[in-house]
Amino acid sequence: MTMALLRRAGQTVFVLFGVSALVFLVFFATPGADPTARIAGRNASTQVMENVRREYGFDRPLPVQYMTMMKKLFITRDLASYADRGEMVVPEIMQAAPVTASLVCGAAFIWVTVSIAMGTLAAAMKNTWVDRTLMTLGLVGISIPVFWLGQVTNLVTQSRYHDTWLFSWVPGLGYVPFTQDPWGWFRSLVLPWFVLAVMFIGLYGRVLRSDLVALEGEDFMRTARAKGLSPSRIFLRHGLRTAMITFISLFGLDFAQLVGGGALLTEVVFGLPGVGRLTYRALTTLDLPVIMATVMYSAVFVVIANAVVDMLYLLVDPRVRDGR
């Protein structure tokens, strides 16, 4: 098992190198495009262009440019946004990351808890009205666009019914740091949590229900029934544990993608200054250093999440552990 973990860690390092090289080539080595002008921004003076070219080594070979960029991004962390008055990019991301992490972690707790309960209950009562109702609700949740649901939530809670007793506690759009006011932090995030979680509740609940139903005919389930184990113990201990393999795989990828900026629409709708909103602002102004840094930030989270999921497989599924 130790060798499997070390091998997977080595693969992760190799993939991160490949992703960083690919991102650099896409943004700074595109034929016919001057990366100096992209970083310096629109209407940059000749002096600024020269400073950027010298600082980033764009008059030197590509490998040197790549090493300079990675050094600025990960070691010295002094990558600057000339389009944003010379602001440092990495501190901006580090300031936005806790907002995104707070949003995604709260939403993840909701969708994992509710989807496990929904999928398990639907599978235990398959082909009944309970099963059909839960799966229909799940399909509705998957079908609702998150930005539309967020706008409707704001319309109801911020505008039309904000003065009623039901929604008078809802604060204005924005984010309150946990260290500043824990209750204000919770109030500013509770609605975005549910809006972001709705789609994943439907998706994960339907996937879990499908896996649990498919596992009923497996040999290990029939063996457990032949041993006289109770139906609830067979269903929860043997069936649910095996079905969680797919669940964990989906969760790892979705969680990393959301933390890496995939919660952009939710952050924009609710005015949360997270990584997604930072990326959105950079895209509107063509701020290349910020775009590249947020893409790298997202890629690192996705790759690391894949590695963590593979390691969890070793703990959850003995067949994977034995095969390694």
Side-chain angles (χ1 to χ4, degrees):
M1 182 173 176
T2 303
M3 288 302 298
L5 294 176
L6 292 175
R7 185 164 53 249
R8 191 63 183 87
Q11 293 172 355
T12 300
V13 173
F14 178 77
V15 171
L16 286 175
F17 167 74
V19 169
S20 65
L22 181 61
V23 170
F24 172 78
L25 291 174
V26 168
F27 283 114
F28 296 101
T30 305
D34 183 8
T36 304
R38 291 182 174 186
I39 290 182
R42 298 169 179 168
N43 304 319
S45 65
T46 305
Q47 183 63 39
V48 172
M49 295 275 286
E50 185 60 32
N51 290 340
V52 171
R53 185 175 289 107
R54 184 174 56 255
E55 181 181 354
Y56 289 89
F58 289 137
D59 54 350
R60 307 179 69 182
L62 273 179
V64 177
Q65 297 179 30
Y66 168 79
M67 295 302 298
T68 301
M69 188 63 64
M70 294 303 109
K71 177 184 176 182
K72 284 181 167 296
L73 192 55
F74 293 109
I75 300 177
T76 60
R77 300 196 295 179
D78 58 351
L79 183 65
S81 167
Y82 283 83
D84 192 17
R85 302 180 303 279
E87 289 290 330
M88 294 293 106
V89 172
V90 175
E92 274 193 293
I93 295 178
M94 293 299 101
Q95 186 176 359
V99 181
T100 299
S102 298
L103 171 64
V104 176
C105 288
F109 176 80
I110 293 172
W111 93 59
V112 167
T113 304
V114 177
S115 62
I116 289 177
M118 175 189 290
T120 304
L121 181 60
M125 305 184 69
K126 65 176 182 177
N127 299 326
T128 65
W129 68 270
V130 175
D131 177 24
R132 288 189 288 270
T133 300
L134 290 176
M135 291 302 98
T136 300
L137 291 175
L139 184 59
V140 171
I142 296 172
S143 305
I144 297 177
V146 66
F147 65 89
W148 180 86
L149 182 60
Q151 292 285 21
V152 171
T153 302
N154 284 338
L155 177 65
V156 173
T157 62
Q158 297 286 345
S159 178
R160 190 161 297 179
Y161 300 105
H162 180 70
D163 294 331
T164 64
W165 65 269
L166 190 59
F167 298 115
S168 59
W169 59 270
V170 177
L173 300 181
Y175 176 76
V176 178
F178 181 84
T179 54
Q180 177 181 323
D181 181 5
W183 174 237
W185 171 84
F186 176 82
R187 291 193 303 144
S188 68
L189 287 173
V190 63
L191 292 178
W193 284 342
F194 280 98
V195 168
L196 183 59
V198 164
M199 179 183 71
F200 294 101
I201 290 173
L203 175 63
Y204 281 61
R206 290 176 67 87
V207 168
L208 183 60
R209 186 262 185 197
S210 178
D211 286 348
L212 285 171
V213 171
L215 287 171
E216 288 184 353
E218 293 291 329
D219 291 340
F220 71 93
M221 296 287 279
R222 290 198 295 266
T223 302
R225 284 193 290 268
K227 289 181 177 180
L229 298 179
S230 64
S232 60
R233 183 177 181 183
I234 295 172
F235 191 78
L236 296 176
R237 182 171 181 178
H238 297 280
L240 185 59
R241 178 181 178 183
T242 305
M244 288 301 291
I245 295 173
T246 304
F247 194 98
I248 290 173
S249 179
L250 286 174
F251 177 79
L253 295 176
D254 287 334
F255 184 84
Q257 182 261 341
L258 289 173
V259 172
L264 183 153
L265 293 176
T266 307
E267 291 178 1
V268 171
V269 169
F270 287 96
L272 302 174
V275 176
R277 192 181 181 194
L278 180 64
T279 306
Y280 172 78
R281 190 181 66 186
L283 289 171
T284 58
T285 59
L286 296 179
D287 193 346
L288 191 59
V290 176
I291 296 172
M292 192 202 73
T294 53
V295 169
M296 280 299 304
Y297 167 86
S298 177
V300 167
F301 263 95
V302 171
V303 172
I304 292 177
N306 271 282
V308 172
V309 167
D310 285 350
M311 293 174 185
L312 287 176
Y313 281 163
L314 301 175
L315 302 175
V316 175
D317 191 354
R319 296 172 297 179
V320 177
R321 184 166 59 246
D322 296 340
R324 296 291 179 93

